[in-house]
Amino acid sequence: SGMGISGVLLLMPGEEGGNIETTSDIPVHGPTGNYPRNNSTFSQREESFRAVLGPFSGFEALDTTSTPQHKAFKWIANNDEDRLDVHRTRYDTLLMRYVAALLFFSVQGDKWDSRLNFLSKKSVCEWNEMIYVQSKQKEVKRGIVCDSDGRIVKIELAQNNISGELPWELVSMESLEVLRMPRNNVTGSLPSHLGRLANIHTLDLTSNSLEGNLPTELGWLGRLEYLKLRDNKVQGTIPTEFGKMTNLKRLDLSENRLTGGIPSEIDNLPALRFVDVSDNDLT
């Protein structure tokens, strides 16, 4: 399904076997290496990572020096102490590490209050730290959390001086169940690609600086239970598609700039126990 390719070793152009095996819908440019050339010179190692990541993120994003995609690609090729071998790393393992690094560069990880072991030599599943939370009077794990099979299930980045836009590439984290980044300065619009995170049950971006409309695609999230977007700058109307979120228990869209009415479809949601849409411009 989707992006995860299990157990496939990636053979690069010119290697024994030549072809890149793939079971996914990601476009792959085959053994001729006919991916777009760029004027700047890449080392052979960079070229091999570029050939793998280009069809996913787009070659233009990888090649443009100002983008977080470029920074993450350069980091994984040159500065990652783990020194992945492109030819001997499973595609989904490499992609997971790239996207985790991309998240760091997209939301200015160098300015975070806690680095949370991001960009460390460790496995992505250990890019986390136990942080003592005063309000809860206990330590909680912040950062990236995996399940016993090594799949990313949580991104917990509450109140960590985070600013910038969420990368659409998070869509590749197919097992993600929790995305929590409240009390930060996440900007831009919610990526519509989040609507493809079929396993997500908690999406919490309370008290950030999100703008734009609510993506109708969020209505595809059949397992979503908690949608918390209070205190942002989200505008437009509440999509009628939200009426498809049959497991939704809590919907908090208060303190935004929403207009229009509450779709009747939402009133009929079977699991819904709490709705707050106060402090908007709703009719």
Side-chain angles (χ1 to χ4, degrees):
S1 68
M3 309 272 173
I5 302 176
S6 305
V8 174
L9 281 172
L10 206 53
L11 291 168
M12 288 309 301
E15 286 227 336
E16 215 31 356
N19 271 324
I20 297 173
E21 289 181 42
T22 172
T23 54
S24 113
D25 54 349
I26 299 173
V28 173
H29 298 283
T32 52
N34 59 348
Y35 41 88
R37 287 277 165 191
N38 170 290
N39 296 334
S40 61
T41 48
F42 292 105
S43 68
Q44 199 171 354
R45 181 173 168 84
E46 286 172 345
E47 225 21 294
S48 62
F49 277 91
R50 184 172 171 267
V52 177
L53 298 172
F56 173 61
S57 263
F59 289 98
E60 191 177 348
L62 288 191
D63 294 347
T64 307
T65 51
S66 58
T67 65
Q69 286 84 358
H70 179 83
K71 290 170 186 156
F73 147 60
K74 285 287 212 179
W75 173 80
I76 204 167
N78 302 324
N79 305 110
D80 183 1
E81 290 175 31
D82 196 28
R83 294 300 285 177
L84 287 182
D85 181 341
V86 175
H87 311 305
R88 291 181 175 75
T89 305
R90 276 171 42 161
Y91 177 79
D92 48 358
T93 305
L94 191 151
L95 195 65
M96 187 161 106
R97 196 165 179 86
Y98 163 74
V99 174
L102 176 57
L103 176 63
F104 178 87
F105 288 111
S106 296
V107 292
Q108 303 190 23
D110 52 336
K111 296 180 181 156
W112 292 0
D113 292 337
S114 303
R115 186 74 177 250
L116 305 175
N117 284 307
F118 269 68
L119 305 193
S120 68
K121 185 178 181 176
K122 299 175 176 183
S123 145
V124 166
C125 294
E126 294 175 67
W127 288 11
N128 55 58
E129 287 173 34
M130 296 302 290
I131 304 280
Y132 182 77
V133 178
Q134 195 70 45
S135 58
K136 295 187 178 175
Q137 303 260 300
K138 64 172 185 179
E139 287 201 324
V140 297
K141 195 177 270 188
R142 287 276 162 81
I144 290 176
V145 182
C146 295
D147 65 9
S148 55
D149 294 322
R151 293 180 301 223
I152 295 175
V153 289
K154 288 186 188 175
I155 297 175
E156 288 271 4
L157 293 170
Q159 201 164 358
N160 199 26
N161 198 36
I162 284 168
S163 60
E165 299 190 17
L166 294 178
W168 67 264
E169 286 92 339
L170 290 175
V171 69
S172 64
M173 296 183 177
E174 290 183 330
S175 303
L176 195 66
E177 295 171 9
V178 174
L179 177 59
R180 285 191 74 250
M181 301 173 72
R183 299 180 300 288
N184 284 296
N185 188 34
V186 179
T187 55
S189 303
L190 273 178
S192 59
H193 288 72
L194 294 181
R196 287 166 60 187
L197 293 172
N199 291 300
I200 201 160
H201 62 69
T202 301
L203 180 57
D204 184 357
L205 288 155
T206 301
S207 298
N208 277 281
S209 303
L210 290 168
E211 298 173 330
N213 294 0
L214 292 167
T216 57
E217 290 85 350
L218 292 184
W220 304 346
L221 299 174
R223 293 190 181 172
L224 194 66
E225 296 177 20
Y226 303 97
L227 179 57
K228 301 162 88 172
L229 299 173
R230 181 179 62 76
D231 185 22
N232 278 280
K233 300 172 191 167
V234 177
Q235 59 195 42
T237 56
I238 301 171
T240 55
E241 285 84 353
F242 280 21
K244 296 177 192 162
M245 297 195 270
T246 47
N247 280 303
L248 196 65
K249 293 177 182 171
R250 191 176 183 95
L251 177 65
D252 192 346
L253 302 174
S254 59
E255 297 175 51
N256 278 286
R257 298 174 183 175
L258 296 167
T259 51
I262 301 173
S264 56
E265 289 86 348
I266 289 176
D267 298 336
N268 301 325
L269 286 172
L272 200 58
R273 294 202 288 269
F274 174 93
V275 179
D276 190 350
V277 291
S278 60
D279 295 309
N280 279 287
D281 300 315
L282 296 173
T283 47

